Amino acid sequence: MNRRWWPTAVAIVVVLVAAMCCVHATTRGFRALTSDKARQVEFASAPVAVPDIALVDSRNRIVPLRSAVGEKEWTVVALVYTQCTTLCLLTSSSEAWLQSNLEAKALDSRVGLLTISFDPARDTPDVLAQYAHHVKAQPGQWAIATVTTQRDLDRLLDAFGVVVIPGEDGELIHNGALFLVDREGRIFDAFDPDAADEVLLRLTTLASTQ
């Protein structure tokens, strides 16, 4: 190689190595290639405590979040808003599927479902009640709720790693997942919104070992 190209070649190698190191770090050792996958890796390696906040449910009752996830051994939590016509529909379908299959596998007494709206201004208890009826949420198995203050909403989104960006015509652009929370209030795993079968397998495995 011509000696005049050596500085350029060395610079390119340095940049490539730095980029690979950056990717390695941000993807948790190449185990995660998207931010959502990275979040799953983080929860699995270091569970995150849910915030100590209050929820108001579809029956207009104030319920502490930690109490809501402490009623059963594990709770599948999803963050949505009821006017969503994209990702949330997929999430609610997954939860409906889980509700039926948890009962079929006799896991309904050990696993609960909790949907929390991040749009409290529009998702009032009356609206949440209509939503619960629409998705056929069974009382005692699948709770629908929202937050009571903006501060609590900020803490909720931060703990679950959910980003919400206002769009046009009242649309909220957001990411999402099916989160697993244990009785102690720790988020210990997360799955894609359409991975209800993987969630059920994980819960079945947990139940068989405890």
Side-chain angles (χ1 to χ4, degrees):
M1 178 184 293
N2 192 311
R3 290 179 180 274
R4 290 179 299 173
W5 290 99
W6 285 7
T8 301
V10 170
I12 292 174
V13 171
V14 169
V15 170
L16 288 174
V17 171
M20 290 294 287
C21 290
C22 180
V23 170
H24 184 278
T26 58
T27 61
R28 282 60 177 174
F30 302 111
R31 292 174 294 167
L33 296 178
T34 69
S35 60
D36 282 347
K37 289 297 183 184
R39 175 178 52 180
Q40 294 173 16
V41 171
E42 286 181 347
F43 286 141
S45 60
V48 174
V50 299
D52 185 14
I53 63 175
L55 303 177
V56 56
D57 69 9
S58 58
R59 299 170 65 182
N60 204 22
R61 300 177 303 177
I62 300 297
V63 182
L65 173 56
R66 292 183 179 176
S67 296
V69 298
E71 293 182 357
K72 299 194 177 184
E73 292 178 59
W74 307 285
T75 303
V76 182
V77 179
L79 275 61
V80 306
Y81 73 108
T82 65
Q83 296 189 38
C84 180
T85 59
T86 53
L87 184 62
C88 302
L89 294 180
L90 186 62
T91 304
S92 62
S93 294
S94 290
E95 289 185 290
W97 185 87
L98 281 169
Q99 180 174 246
S100 298
N101 282 273
L102 287 171
E103 183 177 4
K105 290 186 173 293
L107 287 173
D108 50 320
S109 63
R110 304 181 69 178
V111 181
L113 300 170
L114 174 61
T115 299
I116 306 175
S117 168
F118 46 72
D119 188 14
R122 291 182 291 184
D123 288 339
T124 63
D126 287 343
V127 173
L128 294 178
Q130 296 173 21
Y131 179 81
H133 177 74
H134 176 72
V135 298
K136 298 180 173 57
Q138 298 177 10
Q141 182 64 39
W142 185 357
I144 314 291
T146 189
V147 296
T148 58
T149 69
Q150 181 62 46
R151 180 173 180 272
D152 283 354
L153 175 58
D154 293 340
R155 295 175 65 194
L156 177 77
L157 296 178
D158 181 64
F160 283 89
V162 173
V163 178
V164 180
I165 303 172
E168 298 180 355
D169 300 322
E171 179 187 10
L172 297 176
I173 302 167
H174 63 96
N175 59 337
L178 298 171
F179 301 92
L180 294 187
V181 182
D182 63 21
R183 177 167 273 165
E184 286 68 42
R186 297 173 299 189
I187 312 167
F188 66 92
D189 211 341
F191 296 82
D192 291 339
D194 60 348
D197 54 340
E198 295 179 28
V199 174
L200 184 61
L201 178 60
R202 179 83 158 96
L203 292 167
T204 302
T205 301
L206 285 171
S208 66
T209 58
Q210 296 184 27

